Amino acid sequence: MNRLNLSGGLVRQSLVGLKVLIVMTVLLGVAYPAAVWGVSQVAFHDRANGQIVTVDGKDVGSRLIGQDFAVRDDALFHGRPSAADYDGLASAPSNLGPSNPALLKAIAERQATIAKVEGVDVASIPADAVTASGSGLDPYISPEYAALQVPRVAKATGMDIAAVRALVADHTDGRQLGFLGEPKVNVLELNLALADR
């Protein structure tokens, strides 16, 4: 008799546990994610979908992910280097320390290339021009790096240098809440504005 009660109690408890597992899986694994997704689509549609930039019905990039506007095209502003070779699936820093010979060599090579392309002294090149961000996909550059590129872009596009400076100023975002972070320029948006001219 005792053995039957114990066996029956174990089966009943197992069924209760299984029911709780099923209910919690449906609530937390299906209903809650669906509710969060639904709210995000209604309240924050652009942000929830990666802030995709579309031109003439074609997706050209994301405001959040840097692209390879390589040093090869003089008519475009160039972004930060990428430790992930601009691959969103491999987003990561190089993990090289500030005294690592490989990092120092890469920085020196980037400085030499930028100094040659922009026609400036190495000392005037800002750090974000030669170092990758923590994600390796930073879509922003500093206003200083953008200003450094203005003469080259103006010459390559045939635009007045003042007009290119005005475009940079129009696409420079200030500090968040007026005091957090640093001013920044979204390279994709700046290049798209340049292309519209």
Side-chain angles (χ1 to χ4, degrees):
M1 202 79 163
N2 262 347
R3 187 177 249 179
L4 286 175
N5 280 341
L6 185 60
S7 177
L10 187 59
V11 169
R12 188 178 53 78
Q13 287 178 352
S14 295
L15 288 175
V16 169
L18 183 61
K19 288 176 185 177
V20 169
L21 175 67
I22 291 169
V23 167
M24 296 308 281
T25 299
V26 170
L27 284 175
L28 301 176
V30 178
Y32 178 73
V36 169
W37 177 82
V39 168
S40 70
Q41 291 301 309
V42 172
F44 310 103
H45 181 75
D46 185 47
R47 290 180 184 221
N49 292 315
Q51 296 189 25
I52 302 298
V53 177
T54 304
V55 175
D56 297 328
K58 182 181 176 190
D59 294 343
V60 295
S62 168
R63 288 180 184 86
L64 305 174
I65 298 175
Q67 295 183 31
D68 187 11
F69 296 110
V71 179
R72 292 172 240 124
D73 193 344
D74 287 342
L76 294 175
F77 283 87
H78 306 150
R80 287 187 79 165
S82 172
D85 200 27
Y86 303 98
D87 180 1
L89 297 176
S91 174
S94 68
N95 286 333
L96 300 177
S99 62
N100 185 292
L103 179 63
L104 296 175
K105 180 182 177 199
I107 288 173
E109 289 170 355
R110 291 170 186 157
Q111 285 175 323
T113 301
I114 291 171
K116 181 180 176 185
V117 168
E118 304 298 346
V120 297
D121 185 67
V122 169
S124 66
I125 299 172
D128 65 304
V130 294
T131 57
S133 67
S135 70
L137 299 169
D138 192 350
Y140 300 101
I141 58 174
S142 66
E144 293 78 21
Y145 187 30
L148 184 82
Q149 300 180 63
V150 165
R152 171 187 47 81
V153 171
K155 182 179 178 185
T157 59
M159 289 177 64
D160 180 62
I161 199 163
V164 178
R165 280 193 183 112
L167 272 177
V168 170
D170 289 345
H171 290 86
T172 299
D173 297 330
R175 290 178 165 90
Q176 293 174 330
L177 303 176
F179 66 94
L180 293 175
E182 294 296 323
K184 58 191 179 278
V185 179
N186 188 294
V187 181
L188 173 62
E189 291 178 345
L190 178 58
N191 283 334
L192 289 174
L194 196 62
D196 280 347
R197 291 267 170 161

